[in-house]
Amino acid sequence: MAHEMKMDKKNMVVVEGSYAVAHAVKTCRPNVISAYPITPQTHIVEDLSKFMADGEIPNCEYINVESEFSALSALVGSSAVGARSYSATTSQGLELMHEVLFNVAGMRLPIIMTVANRAVSAPINIWNDHQDSISQRDTGWIQLYAENTQEISDMTAQAFKISEDRDIMMPSMTCMDGFILSHVYEPLVLLEQDITDEFLPPFRPERILDPKNPMTFGAFADPHFYTEFRYQQERAMQNSLKKIEDVANEFYDMYGRYFGGLIDEYQTEDADIIIMAMGSIIGTIKDVIDHLREKNVKIGLLKVRAFRPFPAQAIMNVIKDAKVVVVLDKNISLGMNAGALFIETKSVLYNTDIDVPVIGYMIGQGGRDIPMSTIEKIISDAEEVMRSGIKIESQFTDLKEELL
C-alpha cells in the first residue's frame, strides 16, 4: 500500500518537540499523568503541568512523585482501575523503573511512556543514544522509535490505540532522540482533537480493579501457572505486529500522515546496499542516499520503527535481494561488540534461505555527532564488502584512537 503524505501545511506550527509530545498526550485525554523530571524529558512534563494548571486536561490527575520508580508505580494502580495513564522519562530514570516495567507488562496494563532517549551513566552523559530503552527490550513493553517531531506526536495516539486493544493490552514506549528531537523547533501539525476523538475512543478495559466486583491483579503464580502467563505475553506481542500496521494505516486514512508501520522504506526497490537504523539518524541517511543516488550508487534505507515486537518477517521481505546490509546502532551489547539491532537482524536470518552479508556499526553514542561524511564512509565500506566480502563484521564508528 502506497502512502502519499498529505501534510496540512496551513495548520502547521513551529513548536519544540517536547511541546508536540505534551500536546499529543493532552489530545489523547489521559486520566492520570505521573512523572519525575529528568533531562532531556523535563520540558514534556513541564508543558503537561502547565496544561493541567490551565485546566486544559479535564478529568485528569497529575501525581507529583519523588522518583521515577514511584512515578510508574503510581500508574500501576491508576491503570488497573481503568484510567488512561501516561508517563515520560529517560536514561537513569528509565533504569530506575526497571522492576516496575516488568510489573506493568505482566499485569497487562496499557500505560504509554515517552522515552527521550539518552545515554546511561557512567560516565555521566546527558546526550542522545538508545542505550536506555534498548536495555529494557526484554521487559515486555512495545517499543516504537520516531524519526522526527511530527512522527513522535502522531505516534503517541497510535501507541494508546495499539496498547489498549483487547487482543494486546501491553504497555508501549514511544522513543524520541533526546535533545535532537525533544528540544528542536520544527514545523508540524499538532495532533488534531476532533480527529483524535474519533480515532482513539475512551479507554474501556475488559477488567478493572473494582471493590464492587473484587478480583486480583498481579497475583502469585507458582510453577504450575507462571509459564502460561509468559506465553500469553508473548502471544500478545505477536498480535501487536499486525495491530501496529493496522493502526498506522488507519491513522493515515484519517489524518493523511504516515511514517511507517513496523518499518518504513526509502529507495529500497533496486538497492544493492540497504542501511537499517532507528530514530532521528534516518533524516541524515536519507540526505546521504539522495546525494549518492545522483552518482548512481544503488542504496536504500530500511527504517525500523518497531523494535519490540521485532518485525522479523517485514525486515526479511525488504533485505532478501540486497547484496549487503548495513546496520547502525546507537547502543552496544557489551561483550558482543555489537548493537542490538545488528544482533537481532542476524539472528532472524539464521535458518532461512536469505544469504546476505550483514555488517554493523555502533554510532553516535553519548550524542557524538553523525555527519553525512561518516555515513558515506560506511557506505564505502559496504561497497568493499560487495567486492571482497566481510573483513570486520561489527565495529565502533569514529573511534578516537588518540584517546585510548
Side-chain angles (χ1 to χ4, degrees):
M1 175 181 177
H3 298 85
E4 182 183 354
M5 194 76 85
K6 304 168 188 171
M7 295 296 292
D8 185 6
K9 293 186 177 179
K10 70 178 184 302
N11 287 324
M12 293 184 87
V13 294
V14 177
V15 298
E16 188 186 46
S18 292
Y19 180 88
V21 171
H23 182 276
V25 172
K26 178 183 73 169
T27 305
C28 291
R29 302 190 185 280
N31 302 120
V32 178
I33 300 168
S34 180
Y36 191 79
I38 176 173
T39 302
Q41 156 263 36
T42 312
H43 290 187
I44 297 173
V45 294
E46 286 178 347
D47 287 330
L48 285 169
S49 296
K50 186 173 185 301
F51 289 146
M52 288 294 297
D54 293 342
E56 296 184 28
I57 313 180
N59 193 31
C60 182
E61 183 169 349
Y62 193 115
I63 304 175
N64 291 312
V65 290
E66 72 279 8
S67 73
E68 287 85 357
F69 187 95
S70 298
L72 194 55
S73 296
L75 296 186
V76 169
S78 65
S79 185
V81 299
R84 179 169 286 163
S85 303
Y86 173 83
S87 189
T89 191
T90 181
S91 187
Q92 308 304 122
L94 180 60
E95 311 316 324
L96 185 57
M97 292 177 171
H98 182 68
E99 177 187 346
V100 194
L101 293 174
F102 281 100
N103 291 335
V104 171
M107 294 171 68
R108 309 294 295 275
L109 302 173
I111 296 168
I112 303 304
M113 178 160 59
T114 303
V115 177
N117 286 115
R118 182 188 122 179
V120 294
S121 302
I124 295 175
N125 181 297
I126 63 170
W127 290 272
N128 164 250
D129 65 30
H130 294 160
Q131 195 68 55
D132 50 0
S133 54
I134 288 294
S135 298
Q136 305 296 345
R137 62 187 182 272
D138 293 330
T139 56
W141 285 60
I142 293 167
Q143 287 193 2
L144 305 175
Y145 288 79
E147 171 185 350
N148 54 39
T149 57
Q150 183 71 68
E151 183 175 13
I152 189 65
S153 172
D154 295 348
M155 183 182 285
T156 303
Q158 294 181 32
F160 274 114
K161 193 174 183 73
I162 295 163
S163 288
E164 293 175 359
D165 185 279
R166 290 188 176 183
D167 290 330
I168 312 297
M169 291 298 286
M170 297 289 282
S172 292
M173 294 181 194
T174 54
C175 302
M176 65 189 301
D177 285 358
F179 289 113
I180 298 172
L181 297 185
S182 63
H183 285 57
V184 72
Y185 280 73
E186 287 184 333
L188 79 161
V189 179
L190 293 170
L191 200 63
E192 300 91 333
Q193 188 67 70
D194 55 342
I195 307 175
T196 304
D197 286 342
E198 183 180 353
F199 174 77
L200 182 65
F203 180 38
R204 299 278 188 264
E206 192 174 5
R207 300 177 184 85
I208 62 171
L209 275 183
D210 183 350
K212 296 177 182 176
N213 181 29
M215 62 177 66
T216 299
F217 278 49
F220 176 79
D222 69 17
H224 289 89
F225 305 103
Y226 185 84
T227 298
E228 286 67 30
F229 276 92
R230 301 297 270 174
Y231 172 80
Q232 290 185 82
Q233 280 184 270
E234 175 57 24
R235 189 169 61 178
M237 273 287 187
Q238 294 304 316
N239 289 340
S240 71
L241 285 164
K242 183 176 185 305
K243 189 66 183 178
I244 291 168
E245 294 278 9
D246 290 347
V247 168
N249 287 328
E250 184 182 349
F251 190 94
Y252 173 74
D253 291 340
M254 297 181 67
Y255 296 80
R257 302 190 293 271
Y258 182 83
F259 290 93
L262 295 166
I263 62 168
D264 200 14
E265 301 176 56
Y266 186 73
Q267 306 260 32
T268 57
E269 296 81 5
D270 63 342
D272 293 330
I273 302 169
I274 292 182
I275 300 182
M276 294 176 57
M278 305 189 296
S280 64
I281 192 176
I282 296 298
T284 305
I285 296 172
K286 287 179 177 176
D287 288 343
V288 172
I289 289 173
D290 290 343
H291 175 65
L292 292 182
R293 281 276 175 177
E294 293 177 355
K295 299 180 179 179
N296 298 317
V297 179
K298 291 185 177 181
I299 182 168
L301 166 71
L302 195 168
K303 164 182 157 182
V304 177
R305 192 165 177 266
F307 186 75
R308 282 291 182 273
F310 195 72
Q313 190 59 55
I315 289 172
M316 288 190 288
N317 290 343
V318 175
I319 68 174
K320 64 181 187 301
D321 296 323
K323 294 181 179 176
V324 61
V325 173
V326 181
V327 184
L328 307 184
D329 271 288
K330 283 188 171 183
N331 68 87
I332 178 172
S333 180
L334 293 169
M336 284 291 288
N337 189 38
L341 182 59
F342 171 72
I343 294 169
E344 303 208 2
T345 299
K346 282 206 313 176
S347 75
V348 300
L349 297 179
Y350 195 75
N351 288 336
T352 74
D353 295 330
I354 301 173
D355 184 19
V356 54
V358 183
I359 56 175
Y361 292 82
M362 291 154 285
I363 190 169
Q365 299 200 28
R368 180 163 294 180
D369 190 30
I370 307 172
M372 290 177 63
S373 58
T374 294
I375 306 295
E376 290 172 348
K377 169 66 169 57
I378 289 170
I379 293 169
S380 177
D381 291 350
E383 291 176 314
E384 183 59 33
V385 169
M386 285 196 296
R387 290 189 291 268
S388 308
I390 296 176
K391 299 293 192 300
I392 302 175
E393 187 179 51
S394 178
Q395 59 186 295
F396 282 82
T397 306
D398 289 339
L399 194 63
K400 297 181 178 178
E401 298 283 352
E402 68 275 17
L403 297 181
L404 302 178

